[in-house]
Amino acid sequence: MTTVRRALASISALTCVAILTSACLDLPSLSRPDIPDGIPPGLGTPVPFVDINAPGRTAEQLRDWARPISDATGIPFVALESYGNAAEIQRQQHPECGIGWTTLAGIGGVESKHGQYRGSKIAPNGDVSPPIRGVPLDGTRGNMEIPDTDGGKLDGDATHDRAMGPFQFIPETWRRYGVDANGDGRADPDNIDDAALSAARYLCVSAGGDMTTPQGWEKAVKVYNNSMAYVIDVRDHANAYSINVRY
C-alpha cells in the first residue's frame, strides 16, 4: 500500500469511528415505529375511570395514567391529564360520540403545541400563560373577517375577534360551548382543562354525535378548521400519540 493509500485508509477509519454510521459498522438501522394513517385515529392507551363529579380538578385522578404517556410522547403532563379527563367525561356523558384523547391531543398539538406556543407554560391547575392569541380576524392573510363580538372582554381585541387559548376558540364559539372542567367555577378559554372539554363537546356536536366513523370524525375536524391539510395534520399527530410516539 502506498503512503497516500495508507493515509486515505486511516482517514476513512477515523471518520467511521467519529460518526459511527451504520454503513461503517454494518449496524441494523434504528427507526421509530411506522405511524398509522387511519381515520378515526387510534384511541391510544385507555383512560381509566374518573369520578367526574368529584370536587376540584378531576384531571388529577389521571396522574398515574398520564406520566408514562407524557414521557413517551413529549406532551406536557398537565395537558395530557386534560385530554384524558375531557375524553372520559364525554365517554360517561355521551358514550355515543366515541371521541378519543388522542384526537384532542392531535388538535392541541396542532393549534398551540399543547399550550406551549411561543413559550407559554401550563400551571398545575391548567392555566396557560401568557395567554395564547391568534391574529386579528380582519380578512387578511387568508383569514375570514369577524368583527368584534365580545367588546374585547375575552380575546382582548375590541376591533376584531381573535382565536383564544390552547384550543384556539373564537369568542362566539366559546360562549356556546365553553365549560368549566378544572373545578374553579368558571369557564376559561385559557385553561387547558376547560378548553379540552369544551373542544370535545364542540367536536361531538359537529360530528352529529358520532366520531367513531371516518365520515363523522373528518366532518367534526373540518368544522374546527375547514381544510383537508389540517385534517391530515391532526390525524398524523393523533395516530402518533396512539402508539406513544412523539410527533
Side-chain angles (χ1 to χ4, degrees):
M1 182 181 291
T2 67
T3 302
V4 172
R5 290 177 64 192
R6 284 198 297 272
L8 290 173
S10 297
I11 292 171
S12 177
L14 288 171
T15 301
C16 286
V17 171
I19 64 176
L20 295 176
T21 65
S22 59
C24 292
L25 301 179
D26 196 26
L27 294 174
S29 61
L30 299 176
S31 60
R32 69 181 190 171
D34 290 335
I35 297 174
D37 60 4
I39 290 179
L43 296 177
T45 305
V47 181
F49 176 82
V50 168
D51 180 359
I52 64 175
N53 297 309
R57 185 173 181 259
T58 56
E60 291 180 356
Q61 298 175 53
L62 295 173
R63 285 180 175 173
D64 292 341
W65 169 84
R67 180 64 68 191
I69 304 173
S70 175
D71 291 342
T73 61
I75 299 172
F77 176 63
V78 175
L80 194 51
E81 289 180 327
S82 299
Y83 303 150
N85 183 61
E88 174 62 7
I89 290 173
Q90 285 297 97
R91 185 193 68 79
Q92 292 186 31
Q93 295 183 340
H94 302 283
E96 69 282 358
C97 176
I99 190 171
W101 69 264
T102 53
T103 291
L104 294 170
I107 291 176
V110 171
E111 293 289 346
S112 70
K113 297 182 179 178
H114 308 294
Q116 300 176 113
Y117 183 67
R118 291 189 173 177
S120 289
K121 299 185 183 303
I122 311 172
N125 72 342
D127 286 347
V128 175
S129 62
I132 299 170
R133 292 293 179 268
V135 299
L137 296 175
D138 57 7
T140 63
R141 292 181 282 183
N143 293 314
M144 59 189 305
E145 182 175 9
I146 305 180
D148 174 64
T149 62
D150 68 326
K153 182 178 179 181
L154 291 171
D155 61 6
D157 189 331
T159 303
H160 289 92
D161 277 350
R162 295 178 183 241
M164 310 176 295
F167 276 81
Q168 291 290 277
F169 279 94
I170 60 173
E172 181 179 1
T173 308
W174 183 257
R175 283 196 296 270
R176 292 181 63 190
Y177 294 97
V179 64
D180 172 36
N182 74 335
D184 67 356
R186 65 190 185 97
D188 181 357
D190 295 309
N191 178 278
I192 199 165
D193 287 7
D194 297 0
L197 180 56
S198 301
R201 296 177 68 216
Y202 179 48
L203 289 162
C204 286
V205 170
S206 300
D210 186 359
M211 293 186 69
T212 65
T213 67
Q215 297 80 9
W217 190 89
E218 183 176 321
K219 177 183 177 183
V221 177
K222 276 187 174 179
V223 169
Y224 211 97
N225 187 322
N226 190 19
S227 161
M228 198 61 204
Y230 180 84
V231 170
I232 292 171
D233 202 9
V234 171
R235 177 202 69 183
D236 290 347
H237 277 76
N239 274 319
Y241 301 145
S242 77
I243 58 171
N244 285 352
V245 169
R246 292 173 182 256
Y247 194 88

